[in-house]
Amino acid sequence: MSAYSINPTKNPKPFVSSPLSSPNPPLTGGGGGGGAFSRMALIAGSYERFIWGFSLKTLTSSSSSSETLALAPLFSYPAHAGPIRCAAAAPRAGLAASGGSDDTVRLYDLPAAADLGPLLDPAAPVSALAIHSLGPVPRNLLAASDDGLLHLYDAGEGFPLLASLRVFPRHREPADALAVHPTGRVALAVGRSGGLAMLNLVRGRRSFSCRLERPATAIAYAEDGAGGDRFVMAAEEKVTVHDSEDARIIHEIDCGKRVLAFAPAKERGITAWDLSSGKVTSRIEDAHSTRVKGIVVFDDKNDGSELCNLIASASSDGIIRIWDARMIAKEKPTPLAEAKTKARLTCLAGSSLNFFYT
């Protein structure tokens, strides 16, 4: 049975509700200003155990009608007893999670700036997280740990544990990255020792595994310009685009530097590829002065606003920046907004959502 501190009488699914719907009190350390309207929230984990929450809000000048964007802090506090290793967020639901070296997963309601409590099932440091949603409704949370297990949770009331399965045949090989197919029926995992596995989430078992030439550090499902079903893997400086049906390689891209984050990123820059042609479409060479540790692309097809063109990036020196995807083709684009956490950031996740916060 899953161990958690969420009030079982509350259903954490409707994250689009007001802050009063949160079963736990708001986190301390906020200060973005009351009543600010936002369509985007970010969560960043750090080596120093702190979790950082930000909301993107629009500032209107009192002297003119011009508008600017700013990252307003929602919360920051030492969420884990050790370094935070991974984070995940439901794209349009405001649910976020962090995994740490303290063998726990913590859950957050971003609209309410509330800590929903820990999941204590992992018995080893948490190495990767993924959340699957159907539209705006979170369905499953996946948490991989260093003992080689993958824990599958129902993202409904109380987050009950559905199954724990061993990801790879090689005993105790941990999964360093997870990707859930949009249908929610299968997931892919890449292992620290070079394993690749497909997991049947309906039956709760491993359906396929193989060994890669080099261990991959990132994996994601994607759709090319023609609507083709693809998955993308990064192994050192190489990025490969695969057909999801037979795993054949469609493109192999040499990035010149080790790829640390999707989608996709170089060590100190941000690069975008066309998955249909395998060609670079745009690049920011000096997006950060240190390594990029996380990227969030807000491309909600159901959102026709200007904010659906935004990209967030975080670097190991603690800086989070917001970019306009339409501007990165310029020679020297400038970020739309920036936040300095003064921490060693390790991961970044985000959710696109309309809400008011206090």
Side-chain angles (χ1 to χ4, degrees):
M1 190 68 181
S2 174
Y4 52 87
S5 63
I6 303 171
N7 186 342
T9 65
K10 297 286 185 178
N11 188 344
K13 275 188 177 180
F15 290 99
V16 294
S17 57
S18 69
L20 296 178
S21 68
S22 173
N24 290 346
L27 302 170
T28 60
F37 183 79
S38 175
R39 287 179 182 268
M40 188 180 84
L42 291 170
I43 184 172
S46 69
Y47 186 83
E48 291 84 1
R49 304 180 294 120
F50 269 74
I51 195 76
W52 303 81
F54 291 94
S55 171
L56 188 70
K57 70 176 184 178
T58 303
L59 301 178
T60 303
S61 174
S62 58
S63 58
S64 66
S65 59
S66 62
E67 294 183 342
T68 59
L69 297 177
L71 281 170
L74 288 173
F75 54 82
S76 63
Y77 79 111
H80 291 264
I84 298 174
R85 301 176 61 182
C86 50
R92 287 184 290 152
L95 168 67
S98 63
S101 59
D102 58 351
D103 306 358
T104 61
V105 174
R106 296 198 73 90
L107 303 173
Y108 311 91
D109 181 344
L110 295 182
D115 184 343
L116 298 179
L119 300 174
L120 304 178
D121 295 289
V126 180
S127 56
L129 291 170
I131 297 175
H132 173 253
S133 300
L134 286 178
V137 181
R139 292 299 186 186
N140 293 110
L141 168 67
L142 285 69
S145 51
D146 278 358
D147 56 4
L149 292 177
L150 176 73
H151 305 280
L152 177 62
Y153 299 92
D154 182 350
E157 183 175 347
F159 284 80
L161 179 65
L162 300 177
S164 293
L165 59 146
R166 193 156 299 281
V167 182
F168 302 102
R170 181 176 294 183
H171 186 57
R172 298 180 68 87
E173 179 182 359
D176 275 346
L178 299 168
V180 183
H181 192 271
T183 62
R185 299 180 63 85
V186 297
L188 293 174
V190 289
R192 195 166 300 169
S193 301
L196 170 65
M198 175 176 284
L199 309 169
N200 187 322
L201 299 183
V202 177
R203 297 187 177 183
R205 62 178 178 84
R206 182 179 63 248
S207 57
F208 169 81
S209 66
C210 66
R211 309 305 299 177
L212 302 172
E213 291 183 4
R214 293 180 294 180
T217 54
I219 191 166
Y221 278 102
E223 184 179 292
D224 65 15
D229 194 5
R230 308 285 183 251
F231 70 88
V232 187
M233 285 195 303
E236 298 181 0
E237 75 283 358
K238 301 286 187 180
V239 172
T240 51
V241 182
H242 302 254
D243 188 294
S244 293
E245 292 186 2
D246 55 16
R248 64 184 174 88
I249 296 178
I250 299 173
H251 301 294
E252 183 174 280
I253 304 166
D254 189 343
C255 303
K257 294 183 179 180
R258 186 184 178 196
V259 177
L260 300 175
F262 276 137
K266 300 190 305 178
E267 288 195 0
R268 295 194 301 170
I270 299 173
T271 305
W273 289 269
D274 183 334
L275 295 187
S276 297
S277 64
K279 296 180 179 180
V280 173
T281 59
S282 53
R283 175 182 288 128
I284 306 175
E285 291 289 356
D286 297 311
H288 292 270
S289 59
T290 59
R291 291 184 172 185
V292 176
K293 301 297 288 185
I295 292 180
V296 175
V297 178
F298 294 91
D299 58 353
D300 187 355
K301 297 178 180 179
N302 297 319
D303 187 353
S305 72
E306 295 293 307
L307 296 182
C308 69
N309 298 301
L310 299 184
I311 296 174
S313 60
S315 54
S316 57
D317 59 358
I319 295 177
I320 300 173
R321 287 175 173 158
I322 304 297
W323 310 88
D324 188 328
R326 298 165 298 180
M327 302 296 289
I328 63 176
K330 289 188 174 182
E331 184 177 352
K332 292 184 179 180
T334 57
L336 302 178
E338 181 178 287
K340 297 181 179 179
T341 64
K342 298 182 180 180
R344 291 174 288 176
L345 296 182
T346 58
C347 51
L348 181 71
S351 178
S352 178
L353 182 69
N354 297 350
F355 64 88
F356 287 90
Y357 66 92
T358 58

